[in-house]
Amino acid sequence: MKRVFINANGYAMDKAESRFEAAAVEDGIISCVGSNEEVLACAGEAEVIDLAGKTLLPGVNDSHLHLLSYGYSLEVADLNDCKSLEELKRRVKKYIEDNDIQKGQWVEGRGWDQNQFDTKEMPTRLDLDEEFADYYVVLTRTCAQISVVTTNVLQLAGIYENPVQIEGGMILTDENNTANGILTGLATEIVYKIIPKLGVDRIKKCILSACNKYITSGMTSTQTDDFELLRAGNFEEILQAYEELDRDGLLPMRVNLMLHLATLEELEAFIKLGYKTGDGSPFFRIGPFKTITDGSLGGRTAALREPYSDNPAGMADNIGEMYISREELEALTRMGFDHGLQLVSDGIGDRAMRTVLDAFIKIIEDHPDEDLRFGIDHCQITTEGIIEDFARYGIIGGLELIFLASDIAIVRDRVGEHRAAMSYNWKKFKDLGVVIAAGSDSPVEEYSPLHGIYAAVSRCTYDKQPEGGYHPEQKLSVSDALHAFTTGPAYATFEEDKKGTIEEGKYADFVVLDRDLYAIDPLSIMDTEVLMTVVGGEIVYQK
């Protein structure tokens, strides 16, 4: 089918930063771009859609989120923005009542952040037991790296009394060496593994629920880490769910699946299936092999070179948690690379990033003539030498630009002024020539790319503080922030010939906005409305 979008305030986002009035689409591909007259003449008989001067941009490509986890979070208790432990309890109680959950059943929630509580303290099993002792309750922090559970969950998992600690996580205990209900890092997986699994049909339902939300934000493509959702089941079931949705033409947006396989045994099992990065269709492709190295800044589990500046009493030497040893990381990345998988890793703290960089650099130096496009996501505490090595070795900066809006309130306390001044240095990445691929990390943060663009160009919190922005010298321009959500992610997935710009021969993936981001006050970017999302020439969302 042919469609023509006319009277657009169009930005092609190509190398020439071209402007245009109209674009024609045929069979999901852009066939012509230019003035109204040129495109109408080129397209011939076609459906004409008049955009009435609204802004037309390439579809948004989120380089890092957790699509399945977000879809699943829509089914559990929403604990985002709780201001107290009491509010958290009220929401969990209402969730139980609204969903008619019976005693003895599992109750999950996600999104709490003790930094927003009036007490600033994490809940414990005793807090939950007061109201929910008859349920199996698991409440995951917003960062997804910390959970709090009821006593009966600890008992069922065999980690209640005198628990055996594991590498890469902690089972927090009281003075009697009894678990207090707080689990961090890999210790959370002990509980996640015993929660009843979703099954393929429910996985598919969660995927579609998330996609149908994401497209309302102008998102047309994403790179998603879904294997991390242990309660979903094994990775084969997640693959099956995506492949069935793709086969049946049900995916409303394009998905590249990151492959988080935490052990050599899991990676070997995946390799035996014969997949390589890039395999798949225009709507579902196998992405890079993914490693997760550390936790979160808010939970003081991001791995730092030096101790946190605001460690609580008794934790003066806390430098965060590495979820994987240097040796394990090197073995996993080498095996993944040797079997045709691109590499990407999380890295929030400077110690985590340094460990990943060292592992990646060894492979890069062994293959000097290959276009590898390895990437590191998050990249928050970038102390001396880190960004320079991204540039020197062509490593992609997977930046969750939106994190800054939330973390302004805590970063100085967590790492002190010296390290804070070198953190969230988005413009330094750009100035040194690092390709930036922006993501939201949804459901950790709000998925709307407009929030990420706002944070990048204003360097402010959601309530527009501080005036002038936090370390304003690190602001990105509107153009740079948009490229981070379009051309950057396309390059990261070797799809720059298909995505990221509005040019002939590329996928007809667009977003239509009610205003021109280039022309408005940066502080009003979050007030912008998405009017239309187009994927493969089809209007998948319209306001």
Side-chain angles (χ1 to χ4, degrees):
M1 180 177 182
K2 291 183 180 180
R3 280 196 177 95
V4 178
F5 298 83
I6 65 169
N7 293 323
N9 174 34
Y11 290 86
M13 305 296 295
D14 58 2
K15 290 181 180 178
E17 297 293 338
S18 305
R19 303 290 303 279
F20 64 91
E21 284 185 307
V25 177
E26 185 171 0
D27 297 328
I29 303 298
I30 300 168
S31 59
C32 188
V33 181
S35 69
N36 288 332
E37 293 76 13
E38 290 170 335
V39 172
L40 287 168
C42 168
E45 186 175 343
E47 178 187 2
V48 177
I49 298 171
D50 189 344
L51 297 181
K54 302 305 181 184
T55 297
L56 181 64
L57 296 166
V60 171
N61 188 340
D62 189 306
S63 74
H64 175 113
L65 50 68
H66 305 271
L67 191 154
L68 179 55
S69 285
Y70 176 63
Y72 186 59
S73 76
L74 299 174
E75 298 189 357
V76 305
D78 180 3
L79 306 178
N80 289 286
D81 302 318
C82 284
K83 303 304 181 187
S84 66
L85 175 61
E86 289 68 33
E87 183 180 357
L88 179 147
K89 290 181 179 180
R90 285 196 300 271
R91 291 203 200 176
V92 174
K93 186 175 181 180
K94 186 175 187 305
Y95 174 78
I96 290 172
E97 293 171 351
D98 289 348
N99 291 275
D100 195 26
I101 298 175
Q102 302 300 305
K103 291 180 179 180
Q105 293 184 327
W106 288 85
V107 178
E108 291 185 73
R110 176 164 180 161
W112 62 269
D113 180 356
Q114 83 284 358
N115 296 309
Q116 297 186 16
F117 290 178
D118 47 7
T119 61
K120 311 297 183 188
E121 295 180 359
M122 292 189 187
T124 68
R125 66 178 177 86
L126 296 178
D127 296 318
L128 300 187
D129 286 350
E130 290 175 357
E131 297 266 3
F132 311 115
D134 293 329
Y135 303 88
Y136 292 95
V137 178
V138 181
L139 306 181
T140 302
R141 190 179 181 276
T142 182
C143 63
Q145 306 297 332
I146 297 174
S147 290
V148 59
V149 304
T150 44
T151 298
N152 55 1
V153 172
L154 296 167
Q155 292 169 332
L156 187 65
I159 54 173
Y160 177 53
E161 295 179 311
N162 302 309
V164 177
Q165 297 293 339
I166 65 169
E167 290 289 330
M170 290 191 295
I171 305 167
L172 274 62
T173 59
D174 61 20
E175 63 276 6
N176 298 315
N177 203 29
T178 299
N180 72 1
I182 299 172
L183 309 171
T184 76
L186 298 184
T188 62
E189 296 185 3
I190 299 171
V191 166
Y192 294 155
K193 286 177 179 177
I194 64 173
I195 296 175
K197 300 300 182 278
L198 300 182
V200 172
D201 287 343
R202 197 169 171 199
I203 291 171
K204 289 162 69 173
K205 178 175 178 284
C206 290
I207 289 170
L208 292 178
S209 294
C211 287
N212 288 329
K213 289 283 190 178
Y214 288 152
I215 58 177
T216 67
S217 72
M219 199 183 301
T220 58
S221 290
T222 188
Q223 284 67 255
T224 180
D225 173 11
D226 287 350
F227 290 175
E228 52 85 31
L229 187 67
L230 294 178
R231 55 268 222 204
N234 57 47
F235 69 77
E236 289 94 343
E237 289 179 311
I238 297 172
L239 275 171
Q240 179 184 342
Y242 272 113
E243 289 176 334
E244 289 180 3
L245 289 171
D246 183 36
R247 179 198 64 203
D248 295 337
L250 296 176
L251 289 172
M253 59 185 291
R254 307 182 197 277
V255 177
N256 278 264
L257 182 64
M258 294 179 179
L259 313 169
H260 175 223
L261 302 156
T263 66
L264 288 171
E265 291 74 22
E266 286 181 284
L267 180 55
E268 286 172 348
F270 179 85
I271 288 168
K272 288 179 181 177
L273 299 177
Y275 294 102
K276 291 181 172 56
T277 296
D279 289 349
S281 76
F283 275 83
F284 176 67
R285 290 174 18 119
I286 299 299
F289 171 58
K290 166 79 175 289
T291 49
I292 297 177
T293 57
D294 66 339
S296 69
L297 192 68
R300 296 189 186 87
T301 53
L304 305 180
R305 287 167 164 170
E306 302 294 334
Y308 282 86
S309 298
D310 63 347
N311 276 318
M315 296 182 65
D317 295 330
N318 178 36
I319 56 174
E321 298 174 3
M322 283 291 296
Y323 296 166
I324 186 171
S325 70
R326 182 180 297 270
E327 294 74 22
E328 290 171 322
L329 179 67
E330 290 180 353
L332 281 166
T333 53
R334 180 65 71 172
M335 177 182 288
F337 175 77
D338 286 346
H339 287 84
L341 300 179
Q342 185 188 9
L343 302 179
V344 68
S345 180
D346 280 5
I348 292 177
D350 52 0
R351 180 160 56 103
M353 275 182 281
R354 185 71 263 164
T355 304
V356 177
L357 284 168
D358 291 346
F360 283 2
I361 288 168
K362 288 181 180 179
I363 297 174
I364 292 168
E365 289 182 336
D366 287 345
H367 299 268
D369 299 322
E370 295 186 34
D371 185 9
L372 302 180
R373 304 190 193 183
F374 295 170
I376 302 178
D377 289 347
H378 300 304
C379 312
Q380 289 166 233
I381 313 302
T382 47
T383 51
E384 293 89 349
I386 288 177
I387 302 177
E388 289 80 0
D389 271 355
F390 273 79
R392 185 175 298 116
Y393 292 98
I395 294 170
I396 294 165
L399 309 184
E400 277 62 67
L401 304 172
I402 194 171
F403 276 23
L404 180 66
S406 300
D407 288 357
I408 287 172
I410 64 169
V411 62
R412 284 194 182 97
D413 289 340
R414 288 290 189 273
V415 299
E417 183 54 48
H418 175 70
R419 286 182 290 182
M422 292 184 286
S423 302
Y424 309 87
N425 276 4
W426 310 146
K427 190 166 187 300
K428 184 176 180 181
F429 278 92
K430 174 66 179 176
D431 289 346
L432 290 180
V434 177
V435 173
I436 298 173
S440 64
D441 206 18
S442 169
V444 174
E445 289 280 0
E446 162 62 43
Y447 58 79
S448 171
L450 292 166
H451 287 232
I453 294 167
Y454 162 84
V457 303
S458 73
R459 305 276 297 184
C460 288
T461 63
Y462 291 129
D463 58 1
K464 302 179 181 179
Q465 297 298 318
E467 186 175 352
Y470 174 82
H471 285 285
E473 72 279 2
Q474 290 298 326
K475 290 180 180 179
L476 290 179
S477 68
V478 169
S479 178
D480 288 342
L482 282 169
H483 277 287
F485 277 109
T486 53
T487 59
Y491 177 86
T493 58
F494 295 90
E495 293 179 284
E496 67 270 27
D497 61 332
K498 299 175 181 177
K499 299 179 180 179
T501 64
I502 298 178
E503 298 179 89
E504 293 179 16
K506 292 194 173 184
Y507 293 147
D509 296 351
F510 313 138
V511 58
V512 180
L513 305 179
D514 72 336
R515 65 197 71 184
D516 187 341
L517 299 185
Y518 287 87
I520 62 175
D521 181 346
L523 293 178
S524 68
I525 287 175
M526 285 197 303
D527 299 326
T528 302
E529 292 187 353
V530 174
L531 302 179
M532 184 185 295
T533 305
V534 179
V535 180
E538 298 296 324
I539 299 171
V540 297
Y541 168 75
Q542 188 167 10
K543 189 174 176 63

